[in-house]
Amino acid sequence: MSNDETTAAARSQAAAALAAYDEQQRDQAARQGRPIGRMSNRFHGPIKHAREQPNGRRSSVTVSEPAAVVWLEGRRLLIDTGDGGRALRGDDPMLVEHDPYCPNRIVFANRASFARTMTRLDGQPRARFAFVQSLGLSTMYPILTDLLTHLWWLPQGRDETKLNQWAQAFNVQADRPTTIRRLFGEFAYDETPTFSMVSALARAEAWGMAAGQWRSLSASCAAFKNAEQYTDLVEAITALDRQLAERNVIARSTNIIDIGSARARDDDGRLTLRRASVEEGIFSHKLRSRLLLNPLDPNSGAHCRSSLEKVDVAADESIHLLLGENRRLREGRYLVAKEPFTGGMNRSTARWSDRTQPGRVRRDVPLDVALAGAPSGE
């Protein structure tokens, strides 16, 4: 069997194991008669943005509660901003007006309501929401049913794409906008998100939307780069989730390592390194990689960073590591994921409008030079 065939077989086995694991969790939720937690981390928490003021300065703005909720009632697309529902039009200010530093957080009930909203938009608003759609799991414009599916296992026999199925499972019975706000606030939102990467998610999404509205090569590259970094951040947050540890090991998206008390020195004798051994998962990180480590024991502190300095494979095929020292690292078992690179996220690449386009540059030159360069008239 070739390497490609071996890899394909391994992926097929992992996919089958994941499907079986998910079915088992949903069966357990059905026995309990209530959804059970899938992830302990939340992608949606208070997010700080730097809003640009008219005087050129920036002030910090925190986005928490949804600015609006959108849902379908039969064939009618409705929006509620807290003052009663109204029909959603394509030129609604909530959709058209956009602040790249602090966009409105709008919660869509399900994919159908998001898709119907897309049909109402054109031009730049449509391009911004098309970027959001490409992410799959938005921070600022979440689709509630997708978000709940990512965070909870719904009891077997219920449809994850139906909002009323989630409302019944959580015993939330109210009018539609109140139901959406309660499901988001009580089961998808966290006042104290575990990872600071949540703010990085919001920045990548906001800047990607701002870049995605322009049709130029540089803007398309900026939007693609932000979408790529957004995906890397989501994968890192998911891989480091304690509650998903067993599933992530099956999916081969994380490792569990055991860090002992022993220390070592690098080849130059300058740096102190921590010794660790790989317990679970296929270790595929490269030397000098920047790693994120999250302790499996929540009482052992928060996640921290380290670097992979050395990898040794023993005769019994066990893998031993040397990690860069970090004062937050303690003895114990950790989840490991590659640290996403967020330092190069691009802001919008906006075109000049007629009002902002710079004027023609003029230079004062000697008269004889100006006459020499003038048209001859022939």
Side-chain angles (χ1 to χ4, degrees), residues 363-377:
R363 295 183 177 87
D364 293 329
V365 297
L367 180 61
D368 53 342
V369 174
L371 290 175
S376 61

Side-chain angles (χ1 to χ4, degrees), residues 87 167 211 234 279 336:
V234 170
E279 288 189 357
V336 180

Side-chain angles (χ1 to χ4, degrees), residues 262-335:
R263 287 171 168 80
R265 291 277 179 180
D266 66 351
D267 295 337
D268 296 331
R270 294 178 301 172
L271 298 178
T272 303
L273 308 177
R274 297 296 298 264
R275 293 187 180 275
S277 58
V278 178
E279 288 189 357
E280 299 281 354
I282 298 176
F283 196 82
S284 59
H285 299 290
K286 298 179 181 179
L287 285 177
R288 307 298 178 183
S289 296
R290 295 291 299 173
L291 303 177
L292 287 174
L293 297 93
N294 193 32
L296 278 173
D297 182 1
N299 298 320
S300 297
H303 77 287
C304 58
R305 294 171 173 83
S306 185
S307 58
L308 181 60
E309 300 296 332
K310 191 174 182 181
V311 179
D312 287 326
V313 181
D316 59 357
E317 296 187 355
S318 60
I319 301 175
H320 303 276
L321 315 174
L322 287 179
L323 304 175
E325 181 64 282
N326 187 316
R327 62 183 180 180
R328 289 186 178 182
L329 279 178
R330 305 175 183 174
E331 296 180 45
R333 303 170 72 222
Y334 287 79
L335 292 165

Side-chain angles (χ1 to χ4, degrees), residues 222-238:
F224 176 80
K225 188 172 185 179
N226 281 286
E228 194 174 50
Q229 290 176 337
Y230 187 96
T231 302
D232 290 344
L233 284 163
V234 170
E235 290 178 352
I237 294 174
T238 303

Side-chain angles (χ1 to χ4, degrees), residues 39-49 61-67 105-107 138-140 142-144 147-148 150-152 170 179-194 198-199 202:
M39 285 187 67
S40 55
N41 297 319
R42 297 288 183 265
F43 293 98
H44 297 76
I47 301 172
K48 289 186 178 180
H49 287 277
V61 178
T62 301
V63 179
S64 54
E65 293 296 321
R105 171 174 275 166
I106 303 176
V107 178
S138 171
T139 300
M140 298 310 304
I143 298 174
L144 187 54
L147 180 60
L148 291 172
H150 207 78
L151 299 175
W152 299 85
F170 282 117
T179 297
I180 296 172
R181 291 180 186 275
R182 280 194 59 190
L183 286 174
F184 179 81
E186 296 179 22
F187 304 106
Y189 181 81
D190 189 0
E191 288 289 348
T192 55
T194 307
V198 171
S199 294

Side-chain angles (χ1 to χ4, degrees), residues 72-276:
L72 277 170
E73 195 170 280
R75 295 186 176 181
R76 298 179 63 207
L77 184 63
L78 303 178
I79 184 172
D80 177 78
T81 57
D83 54 358
R86 67 175 187 271
L88 181 62
R89 300 172 42 147
D91 58 352
D92 193 289
M94 295 296 296
L95 304 177
V96 176
E97 296 177 4
H98 173 68
D99 180 355
Y101 297 102
C102 186
N104 294 321
R105 171 174 275 166
I106 303 176
V107 178
F108 294 87
N110 50 26
R111 290 188 182 184
S113 58
F114 187 91
R116 185 69 63 87
T117 302
M118 286 282 291
T119 63
R120 305 285 176 90
L121 300 174
D122 54 15
Q124 290 182 346
R126 183 179 178 84
R128 288 195 297 268
F129 275 83
F131 175 84
V132 172
Q133 191 176 35
S134 70
L135 299 179
L137 188 68
S138 171
T139 300
M140 298 310 304
Y141 299 96
I143 298 174
L144 187 54
T145 52
D146 287 359
L147 180 60
L148 291 172
T149 300
H150 207 78
L151 299 175
W152 299 85
W153 271 293
L154 188 65
Q156 195 71 270
R158 292 187 178 272
D159 189 348
E160 296 173 328
T161 65
K162 305 292 185 182
L163 187 69
N164 64 334
Q165 298 284 298
W166 286 101
Q168 293 171 10
F170 282 117
N171 196 25
V172 176
Q173 302 297 331
D175 58 87
R176 187 49 58 94
T178 303
T179 297
I180 296 172
R181 291 180 186 275
R182 280 194 59 190
L183 286 174
F184 179 81
E186 296 179 22
F187 304 106
Y189 181 81
D190 189 0
E191 288 289 348
T192 55
T194 307
F195 288 93
S196 59
M197 287 187 286
V198 171
S199 294
L201 278 172
R203 288 196 302 272
E205 182 172 358
W207 295 348
M209 282 190 296
Q213 65 186 335
W214 303 105
R215 294 184 178 180
S216 69
L217 179 59
S218 59
S220 298
C221 291
F224 176 80
K225 188 172 185 179
N226 281 286
E228 194 174 50
Q229 290 176 337
Y230 187 96
T231 302
D232 290 344
L233 284 163
V234 170
E235 290 178 352
I237 294 174
T238 303
L240 293 174
D241 191 88
R242 297 186 183 101
Q243 202 160 326
L244 273 177
E246 184 178 354
R247 187 180 190 277
N248 287 335
V249 169
I250 297 174
R252 303 181 180 183
S253 59
T254 192
N255 296 105
I256 298 177
I257 67 171
D258 186 10
I259 297 180
S261 59
R263 287 171 168 80
R265 291 277 179 180
D266 66 351
D267 295 337
D268 296 331
R270 294 178 301 172
L271 298 178
T272 303
L273 308 177
R274 297 296 298 264
R275 293 187 180 275

